[in-house]
Amino acid sequence: MNSNPESCVNEPQSGIEDEENSNAFVSESQQLVPSPDQKKLSSMVIGDGGFEAMMKERSRLRKEKEEHSLAQVTIQLTAAERALTMETQRRIQSTHAIQKSCTQKIQEMEQNFERILNERSLRMEERLVNVQQKVEELTVRFEEEKDTVPKDMEARGTELKEILE
C-alpha cells in the first residue's frame, strides 16, 4: 500500500470495493448519456425557465379567467338584485291598487246596501201608514155602525114583525 493518501483513494483496497467502484463507473457512464425522457425532464426542471414561465402564464390566464367570471357573476347578481327590487316595488304598488279597489268596492256596496235598506224602510213605513189609516177608518166605521147596526136591526125586526102580522 502507498503512504500517499491520494493513492489510497484511487486504488481499490479489496475486491468488494472494486465491484462498487466499477458499478459507480457504470452508473456514471450511464448518466453521461441520458435517455430522451431524462433530457426532457431535465430541460423542464433545470432548463431555460420555459416550464416556469409556462406555468406562470397559465396561472396568470387562469386568474384572469376567474376574475372575468367573477365580474360576470357580479354583473348578473346586480342585475338580478335590480330586477328583484323592481318586482318587489311592482307588487307593492299592485297590492296597494288592489287594496284601494277593494276598499272602494266595499264602500260602494255599503252605500248600495244603505240605499236599499232605506228604500225598503220607507216602503214599510208607507205600508204601515196605510194599514194604520185603514185601521182608523175601520175603527171609525165600526164606531159609527156600532150604534146604527143595532138600530137598523131593530127597525128591520119591527118591519118584519109587521109584515108577518
Side-chain angles (χ1 to χ4, degrees), residues 156-165:
R156 194 86 151 155
T158 328
E159 270 181 39
L160 284 175
K161 235 185 197 180
E162 288 178 3
I163 294 178
L164 283 178
E165 299 186 348

Side-chain angles (χ1 to χ4, degrees), residues 140-157:
V140 169
R141 188 172 168 195
F142 180 72
E143 288 295 325
E144 290 173 359
E145 291 183 3
K146 182 170 96 175
D147 293 333
T148 57
V149 169
K151 288 180 187 176
D152 284 341
M153 284 176 67
E154 248 182 69
R156 194 86 151 155

